[in-house]
Amino acid sequence: HMERPLAAHDAPNVRGRGTVTYRGKPLDGATVIFHPRDGVSPPRRAATGLTDASGHFTLTTVKPGDGAVAGAFLVSVQKT
């Protein structure tokens, strides 16, 4: 039996949540996107969350609230 190292794309998800504010106030209805910054192949999926009226969000990669694969990310927030 031989074990291989855990690749970044095989790593388990970690829960992710936070709060977005703009000019000191919670930002409602904004999309938070965690863009993977590592060069693994195949590339990891981005994790996203939608802020509520309090600015809170929970990250989702595949299933609601499942978090994001551990690693380095570039984070963007979009509000339309």
Side-chain angles (χ1 to χ4, degrees), residues 11-29:
N13 282 12
V14 293
R15 293 183 190 258
R17 62 181 181 213
T19 304
V20 178
T21 59
Y22 179 70
R23 295 187 177 173
K25 296 183 180 172
L27 189 59
D28 184 20

Side-chain angles (χ1 to χ4, degrees), residues 4 9 11 13 15-17 26-27 29 36 39-40 42 44 50 53 59-60 64 66 70 73-74 76-77:
R4 64 181 174 83
H9 57 274
N13 282 12
R15 293 183 190 258
R17 62 181 181 213
L27 189 59
V40 298
R44 295 182 297 139
L50 182 65
L59 289 177
T60 295
D66 66 355
F73 293 89
L74 175 63
S76 65
V77 177

Side-chain angles (χ1 to χ4, degrees), residues 10-68:
D10 293 332
N13 282 12
V14 293
R15 293 183 190 258
R17 62 181 181 213
T19 304
V20 178
T21 59
Y22 179 70
R23 295 187 177 173
K25 296 183 180 172
L27 189 59
D28 184 20
T31 302
V32 181
I33 306 169
F34 279 59
H35 307 272
R37 292 204 47 182
D38 52 22
V40 298
S41 181
R44 295 182 297 139
R45 297 177 125 199
T48 62
L50 182 65
T51 61
D52 62 17
S54 298
H56 299 139
F57 68 90
T58 300
L59 289 177
T60 295
T61 298
V62 177
K63 298 177 189 172
D66 66 355

